[in-house]
Amino acid sequence: MCLGNSQHTYRIWESRKFDPNFKGPIHNRGCTDILCCILFILALLGYFAVGIIAWSQGDPRKVIYPTDSRGQFCGQAGTPLEKKPLLFYFNILKCASPLVLLEFQCPTTQLCVESCPNRHLTLIKAKVGNKDDQEYYKKYCKEGVDFTGLVKILKEGLCPAMLMPITRRCLPALATLKGGVVVVGNETTFDDGNSGTVNASDVLEASKKSNIAVEARQVAMRIFEDYTHSWHWILLGLVIAMVVSLIFIVLLRFLAGIMVWIMIILVILVIGYGIFHCYMEFASLKGEPGADVTIRDLGLQTDFSVYLQIRQTWLAFMIILAIVEFIIILLLIFLRKRIMIAIALIKEASRAVGHVMSSLFYPLLTFALLAVVIAYWAITAVFLSTSNEQVYKVFNTSVCPFSRETCNPKTFNSSNASLVCPDAECLFAFYGGETLYHKYLILFQFYNVFLFFWCANFVTALGQVTLSGAFASYYWAFKKPEDIPAYPIFSSLGRALRYHTGSLAFGSLILSLVQVIRVLLEYLDHKLKGAQNKFAKFLLSCLKCCFWCLEKCIKFLNRNAYIMIAIYGKNFCTAARDAFFLLMRNIIRVAVLDKVTDFLLFLGKLLIVGIVGIFSFFFFSGRIKAVEQAAPSLNYYWVPILTVVVGSYLIAHGFFSVYAMCVDTLFLCFCEDLERNDGSSERPYFMSPELLKKNKTLFVLVLEQCWFLYREDLLNIVSAEPVPDYCH
C-alpha cells in the first residue's frame, strides 16, 4: 500500500531514513490549513453575533423567579411583588390534568403571595364571616376584590373557591396515616366551596402533577442558594486541590520512583477507607426505621440526603468501590514488570519538565481560556433560553372551540372567546414567540452548543501543540540544557498560533462534529425512554457505542497528530497520517508502555480527587467537630462536595496532562529516533554509546526496546530480524 504523488512514493510501513541535519522542531515553516483558519474566524464572528442578539433579547429573571398568570416575577427585588416570593394555585385539582405533562403549566390562575394558607376556608364562609376572615381571604385573591358580588368573583375568577392548609411551595399539606389513609390538614374530605366535597386522595394526585411543573425550578433555586452560601468554601477547596496537585508534580520531578509507589499505595488505601466507611454507615443503619426501604420503592426524591438514610445506598457504594479496588489491584499485579519501565519513562519526563519548568504553569492559561469559553457558552445559553416572550392561552373547564389558543389578557374579556366560553380564562402558559428570531431560536441554541465544543477543543489542542513543541525541543537537544531554547513554551506557543491555527481548528472541528452527534443521540435516547420499540432502542445504543469509540479514536489520533505538527510543521492531514503509521509500526510499544504510563498518571489524579473529596465530605456534612460551626447551612450538602470533586479532577487533570503530554511526546520522538537513526546497516551516530550516555531519554527507551527483543515470547511478534547491535 502506497501513498504519494508522481515524484515520489511513500510506503506506509517503511521506516524513516537517517537525516543528519534534523535537530528537532523545524523553525522555517509555513502556514497550514488556511481555509479552515478562515472558517474558524468566521464562525467565531458569528458566535459573537449570536451572543449579542441573545443578550439583547434574553431575560435571566425568567429562570430565577416563579411567574404568575400575568407573567410577573414573584419575589423580584425592586418590584411590587418583592415581598411575595411564593406561587399560589387557585384550584390545585386542575393540576391533575394531562395538560400539565404537555405544557408544564397548571390550567388555573396562579398568584404571587407573601405566605401560603394555613387553614381551610371557603369563599362563601369568608363572605358571611367576620372582617378578619375576609381580609385573610383577600390575600389570595386578585387586587381590588369586593366581596359584595359573589357571582362576579367566581365568574371572573378573582378568588379561589376555597383555601386549604398548605406547606412549602404553596402545595397542600398532605400526609399519610397508618393504613394508607391520605389526609390534608388531618381531614380526609373537605368542602370545595361549590356545594361539593373533595377527597384528599384527589388532591394528592393533583399535587404530584403540579410538582412536575415546579419541582425542577425549586431544585434549581435551592442549588443556586447553596452555591451562594458555600462558593467561598468551594473556591478554597479548589485552591487546596491546585496546591496539592502542584506539590505532587514538584515531588514527582525529584522523587519520581518513590512518588509513583506512594501514589499506588495511597490510592489503594483511600479506596479501602471508602469501602470501610460505607460498611460502617451500612451497619449503623441496621434496625433504623425506614432504613430497609429500597431505592426503587423510594423513587425520585429532590432531597438527595434521603437516599443516605437507607442501607441499600451505602451497600451500592461499597460494592462499586470494591469492584474498583479489585480491578486496580488486578492491573497492578499483571502489569508489575511494565510498571517498572513506565516509572523509568516518568523519571525521564520529570527531567524534561525540570528543564522546561514553565510547562507546569501552562495549565493555568488553559484553565483561564476554558473558563472564558464555558462562561460565554453558559451565559449565552441562559439568555437564549430566556429570550422568549410571554405567551397566554385560553384555559377552560368545559368544551370550548377556543381552548388552548393564544390570547391577549388585556382584551380577553371583550373578545369573542370570552362570550362563547363564559368559564374560559386567558392565563400565562409559557415563554415563546412567533417572530423570525423565535422561529430560528433552536438553531441558535444548536450553534451555541457546537461552537462551545469547537472552541473548547481548540483550546485543548493549542495546549497540546504548545507542550509537545517544548518537550520535543528538549528531546532533540544534543547538549542539555545548552541546546534547549531560552523560552521553549513561548516559542512553541508562538509557532502554533502563527502557523498552525488552521490545523488546530481542523482537528478540533472533526472532534466537535462527533461530539455534537453524540449529544443528539443522547437527546434522542432521552426522548425514546418511554417508547416500546426495542429495535429502535437497540439501534440507538449501538450508535451511541460506535460514536463513543470513534470519539476516543479521534482524540488519540489528534493528540499524536498535534505532536507531529509541533515537530515538523505539516498540515493536519499529513501529520495525522504520519503519526498513525508511525504508531502502527510501533503498535506493541504503544499498547503496553504508553497506556501503562497513562494508567499510573490516572492513579495520581484519582488520589488527589480522593483526598480532597474525603475532606470536603467531612467538612460540608458537619462531621468535623473543630470546624462544625464554620460549615455553611445547606439544602443539599452534596452540591459543594460534587463541585469540589469535579473541579479537583479537572485541576489534577490539567497538571498531570503536562506529564502525560511529555511522556507522549518523548515516546513519539523516540519512535522517530529509532527509525531515523537506525535506517542503515551501519550503526548510526545517534545510536553510539557516547550519545546514549548524554541522552538519558534515549538510553531509557532503548533499554526498553532491547528488553522487548530479548523476550522469547515476543521475539517473533516484535521483529523477525536479529537483535540490533546497540542492544549489545
Side-chain angles (χ1 to χ4, degrees):
M1 180 177 179
C2 302
L3 294 172
N5 52 29
S6 58
Q7 295 182 359
H8 69 280
T9 301
Y10 179 71
R11 298 184 181 277
I12 63 174
W13 300 110
E14 183 179 298
S15 300
R16 292 183 181 273
K17 300 301 181 182
F18 173 63
D19 182 6
N21 297 320
F22 183 74
K23 302 296 182 181
I26 297 173
H27 295 280
N28 296 325
R29 56 180 74 192
C31 296
T32 56
D33 298 306
I34 299 176
L35 290 178
C36 202
C37 178
I38 296 173
L39 178 63
F40 184 60
I41 293 174
L42 293 177
L44 286 179
L45 294 177
Y47 198 21
F48 294 145
V50 170
I52 293 173
I53 295 174
W55 298 341
S56 63
Q57 299 289 331
D59 188 357
R61 295 177 301 174
K62 299 173 183 177
V63 176
I64 301 174
Y65 301 103
T67 308
D68 66 4
S69 296
R70 297 182 180 180
Q72 302 177 104
F73 302 117
C74 301
Q76 182 188 355
T79 66
L81 301 178
E82 180 179 2
K83 296 183 179 180
K84 298 181 178 181
L86 302 175
L87 194 64
F88 171 71
Y89 296 87
F90 269 27
N91 189 354
I92 192 67
L93 297 177
K94 291 185 178 181
C95 293
S97 169
L99 179 70
V100 177
L101 300 177
L102 297 176
E103 297 185 349
F104 291 92
Q105 184 74 12
C106 288
T108 184
T109 303
Q110 298 165 40
L111 193 69
C112 296
V113 295
E114 185 175 351
S115 61
C116 299
N118 55 16
R119 60 192 176 103
H120 177 256
L121 186 64
T122 64
L123 179 60
I124 297 176
K125 290 181 180 180
K127 182 180 183 302
V128 299
N130 55 38
K131 187 176 180 180
D132 291 339
D133 288 342
Q134 292 183 5
E135 292 298 326
Y136 176 78
Y137 209 95
K138 281 184 179 180
K139 293 193 299 182
Y140 305 101
C141 297
K142 296 181 180 179
E143 295 181 1
V145 174
D146 187 2
F147 275 88
T148 57
L150 185 61
V151 177
K152 180 182 178 182
I153 292 176
L154 292 175
K155 182 180 179 181
E156 296 183 3
L158 301 178
C159 289
M162 64 172 177
L163 301 177
M164 67 179 70
I166 284 178
T167 56
R168 57 192 180 96
R169 298 194 305 275
C170 285
L171 294 178
L174 291 157
T176 304
L177 302 179
K178 291 183 178 180
V181 179
V182 180
V183 295
V184 178
N186 295 323
E187 297 182 13
T188 57
T189 61
F190 48 89
D191 188 2
D192 65 355
N194 292 318
S195 302
T197 59
V198 176
N199 292 324
S201 57
D202 297 333
V203 180
L204 174 62
E205 184 64 25
S207 297
K208 288 181 178 179
K209 294 290 182 66
S210 64
N211 266 333
I212 298 175
V214 300
E215 201 68 47
R217 184 192 299 272
Q218 294 297 327
V219 171
M221 292 183 67
R222 289 179 184 177
I223 292 175
F224 180 77
E225 182 181 354
D226 287 343
Y227 277 125
T228 59
H229 291 162
S230 61
W231 65 269
H232 50 288
W233 293 109
I234 293 175
L235 286 181
L236 180 61
L238 296 180
V239 170
I240 292 174
M242 185 178 297
V243 172
V244 172
S245 300
L246 189 59
I247 292 174
F248 198 92
I249 291 295
V250 172
L251 291 176
L252 201 62
R253 159 68 182 91
F254 299 101
L255 304 168
I258 298 175
M259 288 302 298
V260 169
W261 286 112
I262 291 176
M263 175 180 65
I264 292 173
I265 295 172
L266 286 180
V267 166
I268 296 175
L269 291 178
V270 167
I271 298 178
Y273 172 77
I275 297 173
F276 171 76
H277 181 80
C278 291
Y279 173 76
M280 295 301 296
E281 293 287 347
F282 174 78
S284 65
L285 291 173
K286 185 177 181 179
E288 293 290 330
D292 292 325
V293 177
T294 63
I295 297 177
R296 181 187 294 272
D297 294 336
L298 192 61
L300 180 62
Q301 301 290 329
T302 56
D303 187 1
F304 293 96
S305 62
V306 175
Y307 294 105
L308 301 180
Q309 307 302 320
I310 60 176
R311 304 184 73 202
Q312 194 179 72
T313 302
W314 294 105
L315 179 62
F317 288 159
M318 184 170 59
I319 293 174
I320 293 172
L321 290 177
I323 293 174
V324 173
E325 182 90 323
F326 176 75
I327 292 174
I328 291 177
I329 294 176
L330 202 64
L331 288 174
L332 291 173
I333 293 173
F334 281 99
L335 298 176
R336 60 189 183 279
K337 294 183 178 179
R338 280 287 148 201
I339 288 175
M340 300 301 297
I341 301 176
I343 290 175
L345 188 56
I346 291 177
K347 287 182 179 179
E348 187 55 37
S350 299
R351 297 189 186 97
V353 171
H355 285 88
V356 191
M357 287 296 292
S358 56
S359 62
L360 291 177
F361 301 97
Y362 185 83
L364 298 178
L365 176 61
T366 302
F367 288 149
L369 293 177
L370 285 177
V372 171
V373 172
I374 294 173
Y376 186 88
W377 163 77
I379 295 173
T380 303
V382 170
F383 275 88
L384 282 174
S385 61
T386 58
S387 59
N388 289 312
E389 299 172 349
Q390 298 166 355
V391 176
Y392 297 84
K393 286 193 174 185
V394 177
F395 292 93
N396 59 290
T397 55
S398 60
V399 178
C400 178
F402 299 97
S403 178
R404 308 301 178 255
E405 291 186 3
T406 52
C407 58
N408 188 340
K410 296 180 179 179
T411 61
F412 180 74
N413 290 333
S414 59
S415 65
N416 190 32
S418 178
L419 297 176
V420 176
C421 308
D423 64 335
E425 295 180 90
C426 183
L427 303 178
F428 169 77
F430 55 86
Y431 289 102
E434 298 180 355
T435 63
L436 185 64
Y437 168 77
H438 294 101
K439 288 181 179 178
Y440 292 99
L441 189 59
I442 186 65
L443 294 180
F444 291 151
Q445 288 280 22
F446 177 80
Y447 188 76
N448 183 37
V449 172
F450 176 70
L451 261 293
F452 163 72
F453 282 121
W454 197 357
C455 293
N457 290 326
F458 179 84
V459 171
T460 304
L462 179 63
Q464 291 175 347
V465 169
T466 301
L467 291 174
S468 59
F471 293 129
S473 299
Y474 163 83
Y475 180 90
W476 295 104
F478 185 75
K479 296 181 179 179
K480 299 176 177 62
E482 291 82 0
D483 292 346
I484 301 176
Y487 303 101
I489 289 290
F490 290 104
S491 300
S492 182
L493 178 62
R495 290 195 301 267
L497 291 175
R498 181 178 179 182
Y499 299 110
H500 306 301
T501 300
S503 297
L504 302 183
F506 190 14
S508 54
L509 173 62
I510 297 174
L511 181 59
S512 301
L513 290 173
V514 176
Q515 290 173 333
V516 168
I517 293 174
R518 288 194 63 201
V519 170
L520 293 177
L521 290 176
E522 290 292 342
Y523 175 77
L524 291 176
D525 184 40
H526 177 72
K527 289 295 183 181
L528 293 176
K529 276 186 176 179
Q532 302 298 324
N533 192 333
K534 294 185 178 180
F535 175 76
K537 292 182 178 180
F538 172 76
L539 182 61
L540 194 60
S541 299
C542 292
L543 288 174
K544 288 169 61 177
C545 180
C546 291
F547 276 96
W548 180 84
C549 295
L550 180 61
E551 180 184 355
K552 296 300 179 183
C553 292
I554 290 177
K555 282 185 176 181
F556 178 75
L557 185 60
N558 281 8
R559 186 182 182 89
N560 291 281
Y562 295 146
I563 296 175
M564 302 299 281
I565 290 173
I567 298 174
Y568 297 106
K570 297 181 180 179
N571 60 55
F572 177 80
C573 291
T574 304
R577 181 198 64 187
D578 292 346
F580 177 76
F581 293 142
L582 179 62
L583 293 174
M584 288 299 101
R585 293 192 295 269
N586 298 271
I587 188 63
I588 300 295
R589 300 190 191 101
V590 174
V592 298
L593 178 62
D594 193 43
K595 294 300 129 186
V596 173
T597 309
D598 290 342
F599 172 69
L600 292 179
L601 295 178
F602 172 74
L603 291 183
K605 291 183 276 188
L606 205 63
L607 174 62
I608 293 173
V609 171
I611 293 174
V612 178
I614 288 174
F615 279 106
S616 63
F617 170 76
F618 280 101
F619 175 76
F620 287 110
S621 61
R623 304 194 181 191
I624 303 178
K625 298 299 180 182
V627 293
E628 185 177 3
Q629 299 299 325
S633 178
L634 304 171
N635 296 305
Y636 310 122
Y637 68 80
W638 55 264
V639 171
I641 294 175
L642 191 61
T643 305
V644 169
V645 167
V646 174
S648 299
Y649 179 81
L650 294 177
I651 291 173
H653 176 74
F655 281 99
F656 276 88
S657 65
V658 174
Y659 262 80
M661 202 67 214
C662 182
V663 169
D664 289 348
T665 303
L666 296 180
F667 182 77
L668 209 64
C669 289
F670 164 69
C671 295
E672 279 278 295
D673 205 3
L674 283 181
E675 293 189 353
R676 281 184 173 277
N677 304 314
D678 197 23
S680 60
S681 58
E682 299 179 359
R683 175 183 295 177
Y685 172 71
F686 280 177
M687 283 296 172
S688 64
E690 293 78 11
L691 177 62
L692 292 178
K693 291 179 182 178
K694 294 182 178 181
N695 195 331
K696 295 181 179 179
T697 308
L698 201 57
F699 177 77
V700 170
L701 293 170
V702 166
L703 183 65
E704 183 270 340
Q705 164 75 356
C706 297
W707 183 86
F708 252 126
L709 295 177
Y710 275 121
R711 284 283 301 259
E712 293 181 358
D713 54 341
L714 292 177
L715 184 59
N716 297 327
I717 299 176
V718 177
S719 175
E721 299 178 359
V723 177
D725 292 338
Y726 55 78
C727 289
H728 302 287

